[in-house]
Amino acid sequence: RAVVAQLSSMTVVYSRVASATAYFVEAFADSGYGVLVSSAGTSDLTRTSVSVSGLAFNTTYYLRVGTLYNQTTAYAAAVPVAAVTLATRPGFAAQTFLDAGVSSMTVAWSANGNPPGTRYFVLLSTANPYNGMEADNVSVTTRPSGSPMATLTPLKENTSYYLYIRPANHAGVDAQDRAYGSTATLIN
């Protein structure tokens, strides 16, 4: 069995079992399988996967696979037992560049459904698009518990910087970057 996580769903891939009449997957909020969040099933015995949907972004779920044999259900834990949905790309804040100084800049973004504690890689680059090799790039990794924002320093004065933000889920799987525009630092 294997689990493939997406933004708001997970697909469990399993091996077919002789004498089975149906398969189903359940996603729980707790490791004791007490709080069911989503379930799905199939009686198509040629299928080897079932997806559960309606899951929250960047959230850990505990999965199990059920096989129905003549009205009796046998459960097996999915492998891995716990899996994390992906983080979604952050949204735009009402004001992205909160404070641009001579050598620092504070930026903000919208969580866009990601829970508090989501990890974000925040990059200010002198290039658009950036390739990661620019000498004056400045980055920080943050896990904001409140409004998503970060202060980056040291920056060069009187220089235009382009903002890029990339989230990662609790398992460390990165999502795609998003560009958030640009602004310049002040002159000293």
Side-chain angles (χ1 to χ4, degrees), residues 88-178:
T88 189
R89 290 169 59 179
F92 291 89
Q95 182 179 354
T96 301
F97 298 97
L98 299 178
D99 183 33
V102 174
S103 64
S104 67
M105 194 176 299
T106 300
V107 297
W109 59 94
S110 161
N112 197 25
N114 289 319
T118 296
R119 184 186 65 140
Y120 297 94
F121 173 75
V122 182
L123 171 72
L124 286 173
S125 177
T126 55
N128 183 27
Y130 78 95
N131 66 20
M133 304 307 288
E134 296 79 21
D136 296 321
N137 286 356
V138 176
S139 65
V140 65
T141 299
T142 182
R143 292 180 185 267
S145 58
S147 298
M149 65 175 60
T151 299
L152 293 94
T153 190
L155 305 177
K156 289 181 69 174
E157 72 176 273
N158 194 29
T159 302
S160 290
Y161 283 92
Y162 298 87
L163 174 63
Y164 298 89
I165 301 172
R166 180 178 62 238
N169 72 3
H170 299 307
V173 178
D174 288 336
Q176 186 178 9
D177 301 336
R178 174 175 267 172

Side-chain angles (χ1 to χ4, degrees), residues 12-25 40-51 65-68:
V12 175
V13 180
Y14 52 84
S15 299
R16 287 182 276 205
V17 178
S19 306
T21 56
Y23 300 97
F24 56 92
V25 172
T42 183
S43 59
D44 180 351
L45 302 181
T46 63
R47 293 192 52 188
T48 57
S49 67
V50 172
S51 296
V65 179
T67 305
L68 188 61

